[in-house]
Amino acid sequence: MPKFRYAPKVIHGAAIVAIAAMFFLEPIRQDSAYHAFADARTVAGIGNFWNVLSNLPFLLAGMYGLSRVSRLSVRETRPAYVALCLGVVMVSLGSAFYHLTPSTPSLLWDRLPMTIAFMAMFSLVLDERKVLGTSRSTLWPL
């Protein structure tokens, strides 16, 4: 496998630029029309029923992943794998909560778990592929 000599510097540099940019840019406002879904039917007293129910596969996938933790072959990446699976479970709960009562404040609970899951997956890719040269844990900095 080729060595990625400059990978740590590129990743750290990108993080520094992204963090610095936040101080110079205005927040991006969420358009209120974003929350108007095509299917807003109420079934069994649950508004946006199918949008809420569509999160069930995330719950099942996350629970299945957690049930397989003991079978991991690379023990060093266990925390990131667990964070990924928990993130997917939280995606199902947060997204269901958001779709039940869509609003800009509740959107946080839809997007925050996705961020956790994405960063855990990114950590797994970096650590298992040894992009940074060793199999060090990148989960907590991410």
Side-chain angles (χ1 to χ4, degrees), residues 6 10 17 21 27 34 51 64 68 84 95 111-112 122 132:
Y6 300 105
V10 169
V17 168
Y34 177 84
N51 295 321
Y64 178 74
R68 303 201 40 98
L84 170 63
S95 186
R111 293 185 177 169
L112 183 61
F122 188 45
L132 299 179

Side-chain angles (χ1 to χ4, degrees), residues 21-113:
M22 289 191 312
F23 291 105
F24 298 103
L25 299 174
E26 292 292 319
I28 300 170
R29 302 284 175 218
Q30 183 65 60
D31 184 2
S32 60
Y34 177 84
H35 309 297
F37 298 107
D39 184 11
R41 288 180 280 185
T42 298
V43 176
I46 300 173
N48 302 312
F49 179 80
W50 293 110
N51 295 321
V52 173
L53 190 67
S54 68
N55 292 288
L56 184 59
F58 291 108
L59 178 64
L60 297 174
M63 297 300 287
Y64 178 74
L66 288 171
S67 75
R68 303 201 40 98
V69 169
S70 64
R71 297 183 178 138
L72 291 177
S73 60
V74 181
R75 295 185 62 80
E76 293 81 18
T77 58
R78 182 173 290 197
Y81 180 82
V82 170
L84 170 63
C85 294
L86 286 174
V88 172
V89 167
M90 290 187 299
V91 162
S92 73
L93 302 174
S95 186
F97 173 74
Y98 164 69
H99 285 286
L100 190 59
T101 55
S103 66
T104 299
S106 66
L107 189 57
L108 169 73
W109 302 111
D110 185 35
R111 293 185 177 169
L112 183 61

